[in-house]
Amino acid sequence: MARIAIDMDGVMADTTQQYINWYAERYGVQVDKATLYGQPETSGFPHGKEVIRGFLYEPGFFRTKPVIKDSQEVIKALYDKHEVFIVSAAMEFPNSLPEKLEWLEEFYPFIGWQNIVFCGSKTIVQADYMIDDHVKNLQPFKGEALMFTAPHNVNITDFKRVNSWEEVGALLL
Amino acid sequence: MARIAIDMDGVMADTTQQYINWYAERYGVQVDKATLYGQPETSGFPHGKEVIRGFLYEPGFFRTKPVIKDSQEVIKALYDKHEVFIVSAAMEFPNSLPEKLEWLEEFYPFIGWQNIVFCGSKTIVQADYMIDDHVKNLQPFKGEALMFTAPHNVNITDFKRVNSWEEVGALLL
């Protein structure tokens, strides 16, 4: 049994798709996800980063994020076999805390409150595996870092990469 | 420089005093703190545990807890010298999350969001020192466990004990 720390945004929740959805609804322009590959998060939209980043402070943004494909089934199986912690750097956006808890309860009802961590820096987290889409979280991690592919990280080559939850399952189940 | 994980309830926030205050306001009986020593948390009031425990679910309970003596000054000094994380097992009470953040911001404004952790189980926390008032948090901790004296834990002898923030300062500053 291993301890696995799983990130939420960009790993369980499709943050990029949520930016695209909210942008389309707000400004009437459907941005093609493929055009965002290799660009920093919140870049690549007709409006500047500050507009896209502004969504993060609006009620409902975190509560209604789409679930990433296969994450529910694979995390359930991981949860049954390993010690799974959901570790989200949520403190930067205090309004996201209750929304993230409700979102987890809706889509991953099997996850107990004992296994949820909302933090700022993830340097304090001790686990065997960390599945995350951000260099800043994976870099200081002492265990095995797994970079979950997201549009903003496709050009980073410093970490072992998992491209889907199917790949995570093949590795850890 | 050491990494120090500091608990909130019973260590920074005087939870026992808050129970006494709310009980006095609600039921008109001022319980003497001395009579609660050595009793389980929420026990020792004329009403049963379920009444006292009910306060935990009411708005404002976490937001208005009294600050424990000297904690602001000593934690500020620790923060300047060491790597300090505030680690609170807050997930059991989701309504406490925003209240706890606001409380920290009011009374410990020097603590950055990067250094705050709200979790369930604290087994995932890696640090050199953990200052906590509960056996369940200190027991599995791999670093040096420091039991902060609270009425409910006075008879426990399994851990090195700190009786006040003055004592914490003498040890770690």
Side-chain angles (χ1 to χ4, degrees), chain A residues 137-163:
Chain A
N137 296 327
L138 296 172
Q139 195 82 69
F141 183 62
K142 302 278 198 308
E144 183 163 354
L146 298 174
M147 173 162 270
F148 196 90
T149 297
H152 66 84
N153 71 26
V154 291
N155 295 326
I156 291 161
T157 55
D158 304 345
F159 304 95
K160 184 167 180 173
R161 186 176 283 280
V162 280
N163 293 300

mmCIF file of all heavy atoms in Angstrom, chain A residues 137-163:
data_model
loop_
_atom_site.group_PDB
_atom_site.id
_atom_site.type_symbol
_atom_site.label_atom_id
_atom_site.label_comp_id
_atom_site.label_asym_id
_atom_site.label_seq_id
_atom_site.Cartn_x
_atom_site.Cartn_y
_atom_site.Cartn_z
ATOM 1 N N ASN A 137 4.853 22.297 -7.470
ATOM 2 C CA ASN A 137 4.449 21.300 -6.480
ATOM 3 C C ASN A 137 5.293 20.027 -6.567
ATOM 4 O O ASN A 137 5.616 19.416 -5.551
ATOM 5 C CB ASN A 137 2.967 20.946 -6.660
ATOM 6 C CG ASN A 137 2.062 22.136 -6.395
ATOM 7 O OD1 ASN A 137 2.370 22.981 -5.551
ATOM 8 N ND2 ASN A 137 0.964 22.226 -7.119
ATOM 9 N N LEU A 138 5.628 19.625 -7.792
ATOM 10 C CA LEU A 138 6.365 18.380 -7.995
ATOM 11 C C LEU A 138 7.847 18.521 -7.674
ATOM 12 O O LEU A 138 8.486 17.588 -7.192
ATOM 13 C CB LEU A 138 6.192 17.908 -9.451
ATOM 14 C CG LEU A 138 4.760 17.541 -9.857
ATOM 15 C CD1 LEU A 138 4.675 17.290 -11.362
ATOM 16 C CD2 LEU A 138 4.278 16.314 -9.087
ATOM 17 N N GLN A 139 8.418 19.687 -7.954
ATOM 18 C CA GLN A 139 9.855 19.917 -7.787
ATOM 19 C C GLN A 139 10.359 19.605 -6.379
ATOM 20 O O GLN A 139 11.318 18.856 -6.229
ATOM 21 C CB GLN A 139 10.174 21.377 -8.151
ATOM 22 C CG GLN A 139 11.660 21.628 -8.374
ATOM 23 C CD GLN A 139 12.066 21.221 -9.778
ATOM 24 O OE1 GLN A 139 11.684 21.856 -10.747
ATOM 25 N NE2 GLN A 139 12.830 20.141 -9.898
ATOM 26 N N PRO A 140 9.751 20.157 -5.320
ATOM 27 C CA PRO A 140 10.287 19.896 -3.976
ATOM 28 C C PRO A 140 9.862 18.558 -3.388
ATOM 29 O O PRO A 140 10.297 18.198 -2.303
ATOM 30 C CB PRO A 140 9.705 21.046 -3.130
ATOM 31 C CG PRO A 140 8.464 21.450 -3.837
ATOM 32 C CD PRO A 140 8.619 21.106 -5.285
ATOM 33 N N PHE A 141 9.045 17.801 -4.111
ATOM 34 C CA PHE A 141 8.495 16.556 -3.562
ATOM 35 C C PHE A 141 9.574 15.474 -3.461
ATOM 36 O O PHE A 141 10.322 15.247 -4.409
ATOM 37 C CB PHE A 141 7.319 16.092 -4.435
ATOM 38 C CG PHE A 141 6.624 14.870 -3.923
ATOM 39 C CD1 PHE A 141 5.995 14.883 -2.693
ATOM 40 C CD2 PHE A 141 6.607 13.695 -4.660
ATOM 41 C CE1 PHE A 141 5.353 13.747 -2.208
ATOM 42 C CE2 PHE A 141 5.965 12.556 -4.197
ATOM 43 C CZ PHE A 141 5.337 12.588 -2.969
ATOM 44 N N LYS A 142 9.611 14.809 -2.298
ATOM 45 C CA LYS A 142 10.653 13.807 -2.045
ATOM 46 C C LYS A 142 10.313 12.422 -2.590
ATOM 47 O O LYS A 142 11.198 11.596 -2.786
ATOM 48 C CB LYS A 142 10.898 13.682 -0.530
ATOM 49 C CG LYS A 142 11.300 14.961 0.180
ATOM 50 C CD LYS A 142 12.764 15.253 0.040
ATOM 51 C CE LYS A 142 13.248 16.262 1.088
ATOM 52 N NZ LYS A 142 12.462 17.500 1.148
ATOM 53 N N GLY A 143 9.057 12.123 -2.806
ATOM 54 C CA GLY A 143 8.654 10.823 -3.327
ATOM 55 C C GLY A 143 8.702 10.801 -4.850
ATOM 56 O O GLY A 143 9.428 11.585 -5.464
ATOM 57 N N GLU A 144 7.926 9.903 -5.461
ATOM 58 C CA GLU A 144 7.920 9.828 -6.924
ATOM 59 C C GLU A 144 6.894 10.815 -7.493
ATOM 60 O O GLU A 144 5.696 10.701 -7.251
ATOM 61 C CB GLU A 144 7.609 8.407 -7.404
ATOM 62 C CG GLU A 144 7.686 8.328 -8.922
ATOM 63 C CD GLU A 144 7.798 6.907 -9.469
ATOM 64 O OE1 GLU A 144 7.940 5.963 -8.675
ATOM 65 O OE2 GLU A 144 7.733 6.767 -10.707
ATOM 66 N N ALA A 145 7.399 11.769 -8.248
ATOM 67 C CA ALA A 145 6.547 12.809 -8.830
ATOM 68 C C ALA A 145 5.994 12.357 -10.169
ATOM 69 O O ALA A 145 6.739 11.874 -11.021
ATOM 70 C CB ALA A 145 7.356 14.091 -9.001
ATOM 71 N N LEU A 146 4.688 12.489 -10.344
ATOM 72 C CA LEU A 146 4.048 12.139 -11.620
ATOM 73 C C LEU A 146 3.361 13.390 -12.161
ATOM 74 O O LEU A 146 2.435 13.917 -11.538
ATOM 75 C CB LEU A 146 3.022 11.028 -11.415
ATOM 76 C CG LEU A 146 3.563 9.681 -10.895
ATOM 77 C CD1 LEU A 146 2.403 8.728 -10.600
ATOM 78 C CD2 LEU A 146 4.520 9.060 -11.909
ATOM 79 N N MET A 147 3.841 13.860 -13.312
ATOM 80 C CA MET A 147 3.220 15.063 -13.894
ATOM 81 C C MET A 147 2.013 14.660 -14.723
ATOM 82 O O MET A 147 2.142 13.944 -15.726
ATOM 83 C CB MET A 147 4.227 15.826 -14.755
ATOM 84 C CG MET A 147 3.585 16.980 -15.514
ATOM 85 S SD MET A 147 4.781 18.192 -16.108
ATOM 86 C CE MET A 147 4.842 19.311 -14.705
ATOM 87 N N PHE A 148 0.840 15.127 -14.290
ATOM 88 C CA PHE A 148 -0.389 14.844 -15.031
ATOM 89 C C PHE A 148 -0.489 15.861 -16.167
ATOM 90 O O PHE A 148 -0.452 17.072 -15.952
ATOM 91 C CB PHE A 148 -1.608 14.956 -14.113
ATOM 92 C CG PHE A 148 -2.837 14.317 -14.695
ATOM 93 C CD1 PHE A 148 -3.128 12.974 -14.463
ATOM 94 C CD2 PHE A 148 -3.711 15.047 -15.496
ATOM 95 C CE1 PHE A 148 -4.267 12.370 -15.005
ATOM 96 C CE2 PHE A 148 -4.849 14.449 -16.041
ATOM 97 C CZ PHE A 148 -5.127 13.116 -15.794
ATOM 98 N N THR A 149 -0.601 15.363 -17.371
ATOM 99 C CA THR A 149 -0.588 16.243 -18.541
ATOM 100 C C THR A 149 -1.761 17.215 -18.552
ATOM 101 O O THR A 149 -2.920 16.824 -18.415
ATOM 102 C CB THR A 149 -0.605 15.408 -19.833
ATOM 103 O OG1 THR A 149 0.603 14.633 -19.868
ATOM 104 C CG2 THR A 149 -0.665 16.304 -21.073
ATOM 105 N N ALA A 150 -1.422 18.504 -18.657
ATOM 106 C CA ALA A 150 -2.412 19.572 -18.819
ATOM 107 C C ALA A 150 -1.879 20.470 -19.935
ATOM 108 O O ALA A 150 -0.665 20.474 -20.214
ATOM 109 C CB ALA A 150 -2.550 20.363 -17.516
ATOM 110 N N PRO A 151 -2.756 21.207 -20.601
ATOM 111 C CA PRO A 151 -2.286 22.035 -21.722
ATOM 112 C C PRO A 151 -1.061 22.882 -21.377
ATOM 113 O O PRO A 151 -0.131 22.993 -22.186
ATOM 114 C CB PRO A 151 -3.508 22.900 -22.047
ATOM 115 C CG PRO A 151 -4.678 22.044 -21.687
ATOM 116 C CD PRO A 151 -4.224 21.280 -20.461
ATOM 117 N N HIS A 152 -1.034 23.458 -20.163
ATOM 118 C CA HIS A 152 0.052 24.386 -19.839
ATOM 119 C C HIS A 152 1.395 23.706 -19.594
ATOM 120 O O HIS A 152 2.428 24.385 -19.564
ATOM 121 C CB HIS A 152 -0.334 25.228 -18.604
ATOM 122 C CG HIS A 152 -0.465 24.437 -17.348
ATOM 123 N ND1 HIS A 152 0.611 24.116 -16.563
ATOM 124 C CD2 HIS A 152 -1.537 23.839 -16.758
ATOM 125 C CE1 HIS A 152 0.199 23.392 -15.526
ATOM 126 N NE2 HIS A 152 -1.096 23.205 -15.624
ATOM 127 N N ASN A 153 1.416 22.359 -19.397
ATOM 128 C CA ASN A 153 2.689 21.718 -19.024
ATOM 129 C C ASN A 153 3.260 20.783 -20.084
ATOM 130 O O ASN A 153 4.230 20.066 -19.813
ATOM 131 C CB ASN A 153 2.543 21.001 -17.657
ATOM 132 C CG ASN A 153 1.668 19.753 -17.732
ATOM 133 O OD1 ASN A 153 1.535 19.115 -18.766
ATOM 134 N ND2 ASN A 153 1.066 19.384 -16.598
ATOM 135 N N VAL A 154 2.697 20.797 -21.299
ATOM 136 C CA VAL A 154 3.088 19.779 -22.307
ATOM 137 C C VAL A 154 4.555 19.848 -22.718
ATOM 138 O O VAL A 154 5.118 18.861 -23.199
ATOM 139 C CB VAL A 154 2.204 19.840 -23.580
ATOM 140 C CG1 VAL A 154 0.786 19.382 -23.262
ATOM 141 C CG2 VAL A 154 2.207 21.228 -24.199
ATOM 142 N N ASN A 155 5.208 20.993 -22.535
ATOM 143 C CA ASN A 155 6.612 21.102 -22.951
ATOM 144 C C ASN A 155 7.616 20.831 -21.835
ATOM 145 O O ASN A 155 8.817 20.941 -22.045
ATOM 146 C CB ASN A 155 6.872 22.492 -23.543
ATOM 147 C CG ASN A 155 6.084 22.696 -24.838
ATOM 148 O OD1 ASN A 155 5.874 21.749 -25.599
ATOM 149 N ND2 ASN A 155 5.641 23.925 -25.071
ATOM 150 N N ILE A 156 7.110 20.487 -20.647
ATOM 151 C CA ILE A 156 8.016 20.234 -19.519
ATOM 152 C C ILE A 156 8.454 18.769 -19.544
ATOM 153 O O ILE A 156 7.634 17.866 -19.716
ATOM 154 C CB ILE A 156 7.320 20.593 -18.189
ATOM 155 C CG1 ILE A 156 7.144 22.119 -18.135
ATOM 156 C CG2 ILE A 156 8.127 20.109 -16.995
ATOM 157 C CD1 ILE A 156 6.118 22.594 -17.163
ATOM 158 N N THR A 157 9.768 18.563 -19.410
ATOM 159 C CA THR A 157 10.299 17.205 -19.557
ATOM 160 C C THR A 157 11.012 16.722 -18.297
ATOM 161 O O THR A 157 11.708 15.714 -18.321
ATOM 162 C CB THR A 157 11.311 17.166 -20.731
ATOM 163 O OG1 THR A 157 12.315 18.167 -20.497
ATOM 164 C CG2 THR A 157 10.624 17.431 -22.054
ATOM 165 N N ASP A 158 10.835 17.430 -17.182
ATOM 166 C CA ASP A 158 11.597 17.119 -15.962
ATOM 167 C C ASP A 158 11.013 15.985 -15.134
ATOM 168 O O ASP A 158 11.640 15.538 -14.171
ATOM 169 C CB ASP A 158 11.670 18.356 -15.044
ATOM 170 C CG ASP A 158 12.257 19.559 -15.750
ATOM 171 O OD1 ASP A 158 12.848 19.359 -16.827
ATOM 172 O OD2 ASP A 158 12.122 20.680 -15.235
ATOM 173 N N PHE A 159 9.818 15.529 -15.458
ATOM 174 C CA PHE A 159 9.147 14.552 -14.589
ATOM 175 C C PHE A 159 8.588 13.396 -15.404
ATOM 176 O O PHE A 159 8.287 13.542 -16.587
ATOM 177 C CB PHE A 159 7.992 15.221 -13.832
ATOM 178 C CG PHE A 159 8.426 16.413 -13.036
ATOM 179 C CD1 PHE A 159 8.318 17.690 -13.569
ATOM 180 C CD2 PHE A 159 8.981 16.257 -11.772
ATOM 181 C CE1 PHE A 159 8.736 18.796 -12.834
ATOM 182 C CE2 PHE A 159 9.400 17.356 -11.043
ATOM 183 C CZ PHE A 159 9.277 18.624 -11.571
ATOM 184 N N LYS A 160 8.445 12.261 -14.734
ATOM 185 C CA LYS A 160 7.698 11.157 -15.322
ATOM 186 C C LYS A 160 6.285 11.673 -15.582
ATOM 187 O O LYS A 160 5.711 12.373 -14.748
ATOM 188 C CB LYS A 160 7.669 9.982 -14.338
ATOM 189 C CG LYS A 160 6.986 8.749 -14.888
ATOM 190 C CD LYS A 160 7.276 7.552 -13.995
ATOM 191 C CE LYS A 160 6.611 6.292 -14.506
ATOM 192 N NZ LYS A 160 7.041 5.115 -13.725
ATOM 193 N N ARG A 161 5.725 11.321 -16.736
ATOM 194 C CA ARG A 161 4.454 11.916 -17.130
ATOM 195 C C ARG A 161 3.343 10.878 -17.192
ATOM 196 O O ARG A 161 3.561 9.739 -17.606
ATOM 197 C CB ARG A 161 4.630 12.564 -18.520
ATOM 198 C CG ARG A 161 3.443 13.353 -19.007
ATOM 199 C CD ARG A 161 3.760 14.015 -20.337
ATOM 200 N NE ARG A 161 4.599 15.196 -20.178
ATOM 201 C CZ ARG A 161 4.139 16.402 -19.818
ATOM 202 N NH1 ARG A 161 2.845 16.560 -19.576
ATOM 203 N NH2 ARG A 161 4.950 17.426 -19.712
ATOM 204 N N VAL A 162 2.152 11.266 -16.729
ATOM 205 C CA VAL A 162 0.959 10.449 -16.956
ATOM 206 C C VAL A 162 -0.022 11.300 -17.771
ATOM 207 O O VAL A 162 -0.320 12.431 -17.410
ATOM 208 C CB VAL A 162 0.312 9.954 -15.640
ATOM 209 C CG1 VAL A 162 1.051 8.742 -15.102
ATOM 210 C CG2 VAL A 162 0.253 11.049 -14.575
ATOM 211 N N ASN A 163 -0.475 10.746 -18.886
ATOM 212 C CA ASN A 163 -1.298 11.517 -19.814
ATOM 213 C C ASN A 163 -2.792 11.384 -19.578
ATOM 214 O O ASN A 163 -3.582 12.107 -20.168
ATOM 215 C CB ASN A 163 -0.983 11.086 -21.255
ATOM 216 C CG ASN A 163 0.416 11.478 -21.662
ATOM 217 O OD1 ASN A 163 0.771 12.659 -21.669
ATOM 218 N ND2 ASN A 163 1.254 10.492 -21.973
#
